[in-house]
Amino acid sequence: MHFHKYEKIWLSFGIVSLIVFLSVVGVSAFSQNHTPSGGMDTIDPEKVNETAPFDNPGVTQLDEDTYQVAIVALAFGYNAPDLRVPVGKEIIFKVTSTDVVHSFTIDDTKVNMMVVPGRITTKSYTFEEPGKYLILCNEYCGTGHHMMSTEIEVY
Amino acid sequence: MDKKQSDHDMNLRGTLVSVFFVGIVIVAMWVAVYLMYVAR
Amino acid sequence: MIAQPERKIALWHLGVAYTAFLIGTLMGVLQVFIRNDALQLPAWLDYYQILTAHGVLLALIYTTFFIFAFFITGMSKSLGSFGPKVRLFSWIGLWVTLLGTVMATVMIVAGEASVLYTFYAPLKANGFYYVGLALVIVGTWISSFALVGHYMVWRRNNKGQLSPLFAFMTITTIVLWIIACLGVVATVLFQYIPWAFGWTDTINVELSRSLFWYFGHPLVYFWLLPAYIAWYTIVPKLLGVKVFSDSLARLAFVLFILFSIPVGFHHQLTEPGISNFWKFLQVVLTFMVIVPSLMTAFSMFATFEISGRKKGGTGLFGWFKKLPWRDVRFTSIFIAMAFFIPGGAGGIINASFQLNEVVHNTLWIVGHFHITVGTPVAMTFMGLTFWLIPYLTGRRFTKRMQRLGFVQIITWSIGMLLMSTAQHVLGLMGAPRRTAYSGYNDHPSAMEWFDGIISNHVTMAIGGTILFLSAMILMYIVIMTMFVSPKAETPEQMVEFPLAESDMSNTPKWLENWWIWIGIAAALIIIAYAIPLTHMIQHAPPGSKGFITW
Ligand code: HEM
Ligand SMILES: [Cu+2]
Ligand SMILES: [Cu+2]
């Protein structure tokens, strides 16, 4: 098996680029907490409304700088009253579903969470700009999928 | 034929430039989306 | 020319493939017009029903039937005529796959299966939709085993020899396919079917998703590798040269067996139930599978350059002008390759762990797979169709058809350029995929997406319309070359199967030792999947009952 000299140059360049990409995302993810949404918590999908924190959905202040937002996704909307959160504070979103798979996606942010019944998806995000942000479902969930949306106000 | 020599016969400079064009597309697109990610 | 029975089997595959293509592309053009509110569907028809049909018929059925037509023809050409058993099982495979296709399609048309081609639980389709899809897989396995049997006979008769490159690559693709299908077969057989027919009440959703994507990523390589086979073994012949490097071509292919399977989590990067460690591990493995594609890029350009220089091209790029641009069999595949440059680059972005949050389930993804499977793969298949059908029917590929072929590939390129660019841009701005028309109550953000020069409702619709016209031109060419074009009478009129010579004298024998590759692949799969899947089963939340939300 024989590689042409130029092919060696090309593959080295390619492999080094890939290693650089991986290092950039890996370091940023694991040392600066930029991992994608996820989490290992489970929940009974039929008992969501009785299980904390989803028995009391909406915004709760955890401490000075941290807020938690609990949201229940269901066909075709979100059970999340009064979504108002402050700018510059860490917001921890916790989302689950009572029926099929949905997403909880806030336009123009890094919040793009898959919502799977039986599981709780978590994502921490800090808003930098005040305003009203569109929230929508981008995982197909049925006839009303394209209507499934709400809004969050950042003040 | 000796392998070294067959390399010599094969002029693949155009190939090298072309694949590097591909490489630049890859890097440029990746960096663009990475910057979008950071900005969000 | 290959034996008559194989020609018949291959032509039947092509007939089914292009029937699926016809219906699928019609659905595609409906989609673009529903998405921009230009078209209201009657009450009995739903956007998501159409989208399910589009995904299933194009991504699963068109590709699969075309691939087997190509494989059957190429295997008969490079290894010799099929024996009676191979023929019989190829027919059985065809009929089982077709039966499954019809069953799944009937369920979609009946409105019992608007769950898209990914059929994520706990959306619950009619059980026969899943049975249909299972039969499609079983059918392809039967056809696969027929081809493997044919290959084994050849190996037995040619002890100690490397098989021809086409056969080697076909078997690689089949090995990959069979290992990949284990995941979807497991979830459909043991999770979906019992649940859909009511034998079990609930389903483990995250497990079903993970088993699906264990299959879903190598599925895209099952589409791509046949296109690569054409790039490696057909294109050099069209250029009048040999395969650039037989051993590197084979090496690239075995790397696909190793690294295209243990990577499915890169489709699940933003979902719960898989820890970051396992997600990232599979991201790393995903990056390994980029390497054989980098090797392929080099081989392709080298093939072009060597050919162009042989024909007198000088300077850095003189060879480029010497390529046979007037040969539609070549130009089509060249354009297909060109689309794969941004397509592949987009794939690297999608797999880049948290960067996936920017693009996941947005229209970017739709743009992405239309410039991977929808053009590089599909247009390579078109470029093959131009000669494959006349080769099999013994008809001519007339000058008029060749000109139409050019019109077809150029319109497809323009249409796809418009549609996919609009989709990429819209996706980066945040517009979601898999949605009928929606302005989200005229939310300013949503209004903004569709307000750009490229990112507007019109660009996508124009692109989609041009694409559909192109698809209909292709259908015309298919029907003409299949049934109408004049029979070839002189040797010059005969259409050939352009299979390039490949110099195997420096190819090491161990490349064709399948047990090495299957063994390493199995080890990698176990490393990547055993622990997270076990965890998913052992720490499963209460399961989900089914929902019919359409
Ligand atoms: C006439 C040509 C085509 C047009 C106009 C077209 C149009 C579209 C559009 C607009 C969507 C997105 C719908 C949405 O997300 O709401 C879509 C999805 C899709 N297309 Fe195409 N397409 C064409 C050809 C193809 C081809 C040739 C393939 C593959 C071989 C393909 C594979 C797919 C797949 C897999 C999906 C995703 C389905 C899903 O989300 O479940 N398309 N197409
Ligand atoms: Cu939805
Ligand atoms: Cu993938």
Side-chain angles (χ1 to χ4, degrees), chain C residues 3 13 17 29 81 89-90 104 118 121 151 171 231 244 266 339 383 407 410 436 477 507 523 525:
Chain C
H13 278 87
V29 73
S81 293
F89 280 96
S90 300
T118 44
Y151 167 80
I171 297 300
W231 299 4
F244 171 63
H266 71 223
F339 268 95
V407 177
I410 288 165
I477 298 174
T507 305
I525 291 166

Side-chain angles (χ1 to χ4, degrees), chain C residues 384-403:
Chain C
L384 299 176
T385 301
F386 294 144
W387 55 262
L388 189 58
I389 297 181
Y391 173 77
L392 293 167
T393 55
R395 292 179 192 277
R396 289 172 52 190
F397 185 42
T398 59
K399 278 271 172 312
R400 201 170 83 85
M401 284 301 135
Q402 297 179 26
R403 274 198 299 275

